[in-house]
Amino acid sequence: MLSAGNHPQPSFALQPVEIPREADPQTNGGIHWVAISSRCILICFLSGEVCRWYPDESELVFIDFGTKGREKRPLSKCFLDDKGYHALISSVSGDVWYLHFQSTKARSLSKLRGVVVEAVAWDKSYTESGTNYFLIGTRDGILLEACIEGGKERTP
């Protein structure tokens, strides 16, 4: 695309995003990892805190990891499906949590204990209530297949 002066226009423009004050990276130790999908932003901080932010609705919530998850949890990565319904959050110590878009409480996935998740490939046939089967790539180079339906984890 050319402008009036025949100079190329960028395909996209980078613009800073103003994060709400409650999620200020400086007070949360800095940002470690971000996952974005369908106007949903999941931010993992170096402090171990995680927040979900819907900028269009100005809605920001910090995720509750329960009593066991309250200890310091150095996070590895977080993953969102294409529509932002389902998320996986992984720690460097091998804890994995599932987060549904309608919940503020992450659920520990006991069948994945000891797994450090490096990649997730979501099945396109997932629904709001379930993930259908999806693939997980681990730090150890193993591929796993998992499914979360009605809040319960299943393996094939």
Side-chain angles (χ1 to χ4, degrees):
M1 173 185 248
L2 298 176
S3 67
N6 290 331
H7 297 288
Q9 293 287 330
S11 301
F12 65 94
L14 295 176
Q15 298 177 4
V17 175
E18 282 222 23
I19 296 174
R21 186 180 4 227
E22 310 91 274
D24 179 25
Q26 301 307 317
T27 59
N28 288 293
I31 294 175
H32 174 68
W33 197 266
V34 175
I36 303 171
S37 183
S38 295
R39 305 297 295 161
C40 173
I41 302 173
L42 199 61
I43 305 171
C44 297
F45 295 100
L46 290 170
S47 66
E49 294 291 330
V50 176
C51 74
R52 181 177 49 218
W53 178 33
Y54 293 100
D56 292 345
E57 291 87 22
S58 298
E59 177 187 328
L60 181 126
V61 294
F62 278 86
I63 304 307
D64 178 5
F65 286 87
T67 54
K68 184 181 181 325
R70 284 202 179 107
E71 66 247 14
K72 179 102 170 103
R73 57 186 172 279
L75 298 175
S76 173
K77 295 182 180 176
C78 59
F79 306 90
L80 275 170
D81 70 52
D82 292 347
K83 294 180 183 165
Y85 296 151
H86 310 283
L88 286 187
I89 302 165
S90 178
S91 76
V92 296
S93 61
D95 291 310
V96 181
W97 296 272
Y98 167 73
L99 179 65
H100 188 266
F101 82 107
Q102 292 178 325
S103 178
T104 60
K105 185 172 172 88
R107 282 193 50 252
S108 177
L109 298 178
S110 59
K111 291 182 180 179
L112 292 175
R113 185 157 289 125
V115 171
V116 178
V117 179
E118 291 291 334
V120 175
W122 302 97
D123 186 313
K124 297 289 184 191
S125 65
Y126 62 83
T127 64
E128 284 186 27
S129 61
T131 63
N132 207 345
Y133 285 97
F134 61 97
L135 295 177
I136 298 171
T138 73
R139 178 165 287 165
D140 297 328
I142 299 169
L143 280 179
L144 301 170
E145 187 176 42
C147 178
I148 301 171
E149 295 292 333
K152 297 188 184 339
E153 44 188 314
R154 295 187 321 185
T155 53

